[in-house]
Amino acid sequence: MELYSGHINKLIEELAALPGIGGKSAQRLAFYLINMPQDKVNRLASSILEAKANVRYCRECYTLTDQEICPVCANQNRNHRLIMVVENTRDMAAYEKTGKYEGVYHVLHGAISPMLGIGPGDIKLKELVNRLEGDVEEVIIATNSSLEGETTAMYISKLIKPVGIKVTRIASGVPVGGDLEYIDEVTLLRALEGRVEL
Amino acid sequence: MELYSGHINKLIEELAALPGIGGKSAQRLAFYLINMPQDKVNRLASSILEAKANVRYCRECYTLTDQEICPVCANQNRNHRLIMVVENTRDMAAYEKTGKYEGVYHVLHGAISPMLGIGPGDIKLKELVNRLEGDVEEVIIATNSSLEGETTAMYISKLIKPVGIKVTRIASGVPVGGDLEYIDEVTLLRALEGRVEL
């Protein structure tokens, strides 16, 4: 027999298809949603639909935003000759949180991954190259320190270097506050290779 | 500055208010939802609204269901003189999954918790007492083995015993497959108290 009735099962299925939500959490969430006051349920459903309907790519940097041009690109006090390339909007937000980066961004929306069949044409690389026709001094590659992120970084550097623009990669090493004992060997070797004189 | 634009922030806030979803997961989910195809987004939003709109209490046992009377209560092959009291619909589903319980249920939708200010009047207890006016042989209390669950079990047994109906409590002890070494002392003592002759 079915444990729950139709509408409950359907909701559980939809929720379980979201990332990071397993079967048990989906059940818990479903009953929480059903027991929520009607106005809160409406608000959640409309937030989902409105975000989907109104959020688009920034015309400049391709981050997800409500506006034609995102607040970072629209800010004339930032250095538009310095472009940091990130994999997604959340990574951009992570750097924005530091409050110290003065340049602008370019959001790829992914990384090259032969394993997942994601090639250079599937991420916003052509758009990056187009931006380089303007007045750009340096491109900082801040893709993740994963296999995909490194592959993408290599690809971009090979693509841009011939144009004559400076290309840099954010440092890889021991995280601040990190205990050497718990850090993997690859990171330890990276930290050694990237050592700087004091 | 705000890290994300309005609609994205609103969605993240709504998601982070759900149980078991922290700030980081809410961000991840929000971007996942925004990147999902439009038809899937619509389906998710309508599943939420439809579940909320169509799911109600079973007239008999107060479980959450699409129908006036849930499939368990509607099934005449089940023993309607045997009522298992559970805290919520998920607990009922857990017993249904065993496939061995022949009786019906009564769903309290909570447990007595002086800490959270939930009294006997806040859960479906009056409704349970009303059911006892019919032909009932035994009430099995299957509330959780937590402080709240035990308090509720005690309260119900004091309420029902004077009526002359048999009241039982599901056994508390070492879970099947459980390793004694990792089980808390209270459970170990319960298992000892509740030992049965072989």
Side-chain angles (χ1 to χ4, degrees), chain B residues 10 24 30 54 56 69 76 79 108 115 158 188:
Chain B
K10 191 162 165 262
K24 283 270 171 191
N54 292 300
R56 63 189 112 173
I69 292 184
Q76 287 310 318
N79 183 356
L108 294 174
M115 288 264 292
K158 280 190 183 152
L188 288 178

Side-chain angles (χ1 to χ4, degrees), chain A residues 28 41 64 86 98 113 139 144 155 157 161 170 174 193:
Chain A
R28 201 156 70 103
V41 173
L64 291 166
V86 291
T98 68
S113 168
V139 171
N144 286 331
Y155 188 93
S157 86
K161 266 193 177 159
I170 54 165
V174 177
E193 280 164 21

